[in-house]
Every structure is written in C-alpha cells, then in structure tokens.
C-alpha cells in the first residue's frame, strides 16, 4: 500500500469510500453523499487529497486536507479520513494520517487540528494519540449519530 496525490481517475472510488462512511453515520458530520455532479468539485476544492492505493492502483482509503479557518488562523488545517470497510484494520488509516502530516507541512500549515472525532470511534482516537496528537478536550453530545443518539466528540491537534 502506498499513499499518493489523488488523480481524477480516482474520483469514483473515492466517492464510494467517502459515501460509505457518510452513510454509516458514526464518524462524519455530513449527511448528504457525494454525487457525480458534485464529487469532482468537492475533491478538487481541497488543498490536497491523498489516496491509499495497492499495487493494482485500487483505492482503499483517502483524506482531504484544507484550511480549518482563514486569515490570522489560516495556518491551521483540518483533514478528514475515510477507509473502505473491507480495508480497515490494515494500517491504511495510519498511512493516510502520516502522509497528511507531511503534505500539510509541505503546504505551509503549522498545525493540524481535528474538530470532531467521535469518542466511539476508538480506532481513530487511539491512532491520533499514538501519532502524537494532543487531545484538547471533549464536547459532550457534539455529534448526532445516524440513529439520532448523541455522542461526545474529541478535539485533537498536532504541531507540524
């Protein structure tokens, strides 16, 4: 598995993985899936998108990287990660996060911040802490799950 910059030919696979996570309803805040009419524009609008691919160029995961804010806080970036359900537990997420840190620094960002890591997403929380992210705190009931229940969310950051 290797992580590289996405190419337009990856968009359909990226949309399928992104939409799988959105439809699961337990990690991403989005409720609407990407479509053929907005998927290309969504990925193209990011500061950087990385994809985890195998030797046959099959996409197993992705991340989107963009500013978390603007102006005097424009040096802080944010990212979202999605791994295909049949590729989870194979260090795809770790490879994506590590590459994201490198690319964020290369783009001149100074801090990578995650605004809403659902506490029940144990794999993500454990990974970010393993990679040296600092948990800033927890927002009680900051995330509404697909089933309508509310979950706490953690905020994390790492200096680049």
């Amino acid at each position: 598995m290797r992580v590289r910059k996405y190419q337009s030919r990856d968009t359909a696979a990226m949309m399928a993985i992104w939409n799988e996570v959105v439809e699961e309803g337990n990690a991403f805040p989005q409720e609407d899936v990407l479509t053929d009419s907005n998927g290309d524009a969504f990925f193209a609008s990011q500061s950087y998108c990385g994809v985890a691919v195998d030797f046959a160029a099959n996409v197993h995961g992705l991340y989107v990287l963009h500013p978390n804010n603007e102006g005097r806080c424009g040096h802080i970036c944010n990212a979202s990660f999605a791994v295909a359900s049949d590729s989870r537990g194979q260090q795809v997420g770790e490879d994506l996060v590590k590459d994201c840190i490198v690319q964020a620094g290369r783009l001149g960002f100074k801090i990578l911040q995650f605004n809403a890591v659902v506490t029940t997403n144990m794999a993500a929380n454990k990974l970010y802490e393993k990679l040296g992210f600092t948990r800033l705190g927890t927002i009680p009931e900051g995330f509404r799950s697909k089933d309508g229940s509310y979950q706490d969310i953690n905020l994390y950051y790492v200096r680049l």
Side-chain angles (χ1 to χ4, degrees), residues 42-159:
F42 174 74
F43 294 120
S45 71
Q46 306 299 318
S47 299
Y48 189 90
C49 294
V51 291
V53 295
D54 60 23
F55 294 108
N58 299 308
V59 177
H60 292 263
L62 67 114
Y63 70 87
V64 297
L65 173 67
H66 50 264
N68 194 52
N69 212 316
E70 59 185 30
R72 297 188 200 298
C73 294
H75 61 288
I76 302 173
C77 61
N78 181 267
S80 297
F81 303 87
V83 175
S85 59
D86 59 357
S87 298
R88 294 176 189 160
Q90 300 174 33
Q91 288 192 305
V92 174
E94 184 170 347
D95 292 344
L96 290 166
V97 175
K98 287 178 177 178
D99 188 75
C100 180
I101 290 169
V102 169
Q103 297 304 327
R106 186 185 63 76
L107 291 170
F109 291 109
K110 304 295 183 203
I111 297 170
L112 174 56
Q113 178 178 318
F114 299 146
N115 301 324
V117 182
V118 182
T119 57
T120 55
N121 187 347
M122 301 302 290
N125 284 278
K126 183 177 177 180
L127 175 60
Y128 302 146
E129 291 174 14
K130 172 185 172 185
L131 295 178
F133 284 76
T134 299
R135 185 167 60 92
L136 293 169
T138 301
I139 299 173
E141 299 185 352
F143 182 85
R144 183 176 42 80
S145 297
K146 186 175 182 176
D147 67 6
S149 64
Y150 287 88
Q151 307 299 322
D152 297 348
I153 55 174
N154 290 327
L155 287 76
Y156 286 95
Y157 84 97
V158 68
R159 290 186 182 275

Side-chain angles (χ1 to χ4, degrees), residues 21-35:
V21 174
V22 169
E23 289 173 344
E24 287 171 346
N26 57 17
F28 281 1
Q30 292 84 356
E31 295 179 307
D32 297 326
V33 297
L34 296 174
T35 65

